[in-house]
Amino acid sequence: MAEVTVFVEQRSGQVKRAALEVVAQGRGLADAWGGSLEAILIGTDLDDAAAKVLPLGPDHVTLLEHPVLSDYSVEGFTQALSGYVARTNSLALLLPATAMGMDLAPRVAARLRVGLASDCISISSGPDRTMEAVRPVFSGKAMATVRFSSARPVMATLRPNVFPPGEPVANPAGKITKKTPELDETKIRARLTGIEKDQSGEIDVKEADIVVSGGRAMMNSENFGIIRDLAAALGGAVGASRAAVDAGFIAHQHQVGQTGKVVAPKLYIACGISGAIQHLAGMSSSKVIVAINKDGEAPIFKIATYGIVGDLFRIVPLLTEKILKLKAE
Ligand SMILES: Cc1cc2nc3c(=O)[nH]c(=O)nc-3n(C[C@H](O)[C@H](O)[C@H](O)COP(=O)(O)OP(=O)(O)OC[C@H]3O[C@@H](n4cnc5c(N)ncnc54)[C@H](O)[C@@H]3O)c2cc1C
């Protein structure tokens, strides 16, 4: 039995960065408890994905492979994960708070009859091999510290882009094992019939190191061109406030915030965004925040590392020009 189990999200063999962050936290918890770590991958043809996870230090990498699980289905994955964890008597189960993790974790918790701390931004080892977790509540206005009852495993989903991914080791000692999960296929009622890939070729805000976002001040979709130009010059992604999305200036997939995506890039440039609490909930963990706003009293300046008070339609193209010039030199 491994004391700590982590679910490693992969799609088509590609392991998500958020999953690597969970592996690193799982390793830390297992070490604090003087125990071992098991990483679980579910799907088919998982060898390459397992090879990526092994150097991050799990003692065991277990591949639950079944043809029915080649694509994600919440009912199939719930059966595989909860069935396996129930048999191993693990003390903790961690998942990423990605779309998949947030879909899967509550069902697994219900099956195992344990509680779940979701979207945690910190976890630590408590007394008697238990765990404490911190999660933002009320759109990040307050932090709740969660302690668990004696029911095991303690379960948490971890917010992506908050925890560092682990450092790979040169000669990993862990073992990879393949298992076939027992499934009741009649209980898998939803099946994936096709995937429509985003054809835009744009960088996802969640994966980007640099995000340039525009708000209501952009006034229309054409004006977003200057945000796209700055993002392209920096090799970053384009983000937006909800006001910009609701006004139809840009698609919802770009929305940052409480009802959009949570990002924590190295650099976040907010252009014509006032800094409402719901927007801050999605970007306040960014390493460096640059705010451009014509209102010197805008709340965004309270969390900005650097603030520029002025008209974004003058400043953003100037910034792009300077950056392109610097890159050309
Ligand atoms: C339940 C709920 C969930 C929500 N979820 C989200 C969410 O996920 N993400 C989100 O962003 N919001 C969310 N909101 C909405 C949020 O409350 C704000 O309404 C929204 O963030 C405001 O967007 P904004 O900053 O672009 O617009 P505004 O608040 O209107 O700010 C526009 C800013 O642009 C500045 N400006 C105007 N012209 C210029 C110019 N030429 N140059 C420079 N600056 C200029 C103004 O000074 C102003 O500060 C949510 C709200 C609710 C109730």
Side-chain angles (χ1 to χ4, degrees):
M1 176 196 100
E3 281 72 9
V4 179
T5 303
V6 290
F7 168 73
V8 177
E9 175 174 343
Q10 59 80 35
R11 288 193 196 249
S12 309
Q14 297 294 314
V15 178
K16 291 256 177 182
R17 184 196 140 104
L20 304 181
E21 295 165 5
V22 172
V23 175
Q25 288 305 302
R27 182 69 269 169
L29 192 63
D31 289 345
W33 289 351
S36 59
L37 173 68
E38 178 168 17
I40 295 183
L41 288 88
I42 302 177
T44 49
D45 303 324
L46 295 168
D47 297 85
D48 289 350
K52 194 159 181 202
V53 174
L54 198 64
L56 297 176
D59 303 282
H60 313 278
V61 177
T62 302
L63 312 182
L64 301 181
E65 293 195 343
H66 194 294
V68 166
L69 302 174
S70 59
D71 294 309
Y72 173 70
S73 84
V74 69
E75 289 157 326
F77 274 48
T78 298
Q79 279 191 47
L81 186 58
S82 60
Y84 184 77
V85 173
R87 281 195 298 279
T88 61
N89 293 320
S90 182
L91 302 179
L93 173 60
L94 306 177
L95 302 91
T98 51
M100 188 192 288
M102 289 192 292
D103 194 34
L104 182 61
R107 282 186 181 241
V108 172
R111 288 280 179 99
L112 297 173
R113 297 187 175 276
V114 297
L116 167 70
S118 56
D119 201 22
C120 299
I121 57 162
S122 139
I123 57 165
S124 55
S125 161
D128 300 326
R129 286 179 157 189
T130 184
M131 185 173 84
E132 261 184 32
V134 176
R135 52 187 299 269
V137 289
F138 304 117
S139 310
K141 276 190 196 145
M143 297 293 155
T145 300
V146 180
R147 294 196 183 96
F148 295 83
S149 72
S150 57
R152 298 303 183 107
V154 293
M155 262 188 81
T157 60
L158 308 188
R159 181 178 283 196
N161 291 322
V162 172
F163 300 92
E167 288 293 323
V169 296
N171 297 306
K175 298 260 170 301
I176 299 176
T177 314
K178 282 189 193 190
K179 293 198 158 103
T180 308
E182 283 169 27
L183 296 178
D184 179 352
E185 291 184 37
T186 61
K187 299 248 166 71
I188 304 174
R189 291 162 298 179
R191 304 261 164 140
L192 187 79
T193 55
I195 296 174
E196 275 185 39
K197 289 217 163 130
D198 176 16
Q199 302 294 336
S200 66
E202 288 172 329
I203 308 170
D204 184 350
V205 278
K206 275 174 96 168
E207 307 286 329
D209 279 341
I210 298 175
V211 177
V212 185
S213 285
R216 197 196 306 274
M218 299 315 300
M219 293 192 297
N220 57 47
S221 50
E222 289 74 43
N223 287 343
F224 251 92
I226 61 169
I227 301 291
R228 290 185 198 282
D229 289 347
L230 180 54
L234 291 166
V238 175
S241 72
R242 177 165 159 178
V245 171
D246 285 353
F249 304 163
I250 189 161
H252 179 261
Q253 75 208 51
H254 296 271
Q255 185 178 318
V256 172
Q258 184 189 332
T259 43
K261 291 181 177 167
V262 176
V263 300
K266 290 183 184 146
L267 173 63
Y268 188 89
I269 307 181
C271 309
I273 292 177
S274 59
I277 187 78
Q278 295 90 352
H279 188 79
L280 304 189
M283 46 64 75
S284 56
S285 308
S286 307
K287 227 173 192 166
V288 173
I289 297 170
V290 177
I292 305 169
N293 199 301
K294 67 180 183 186
D295 174 8
E297 300 296 314
I300 191 84
F301 288 124
K302 290 202 182 116
I303 64 145
T305 326
Y306 302 101
I308 306 173
V309 180
D311 184 355
L312 74 91
F313 292 104
R314 210 176 61 80
I315 294 159
V316 172
L318 267 178
L319 270 178
T320 310
E321 195 187 308
K322 292 267 178 209
I323 286 156
L324 289 175
K325 214 169 181 184
L326 277 172
K327 279 172 83 176
E329 282 170 12

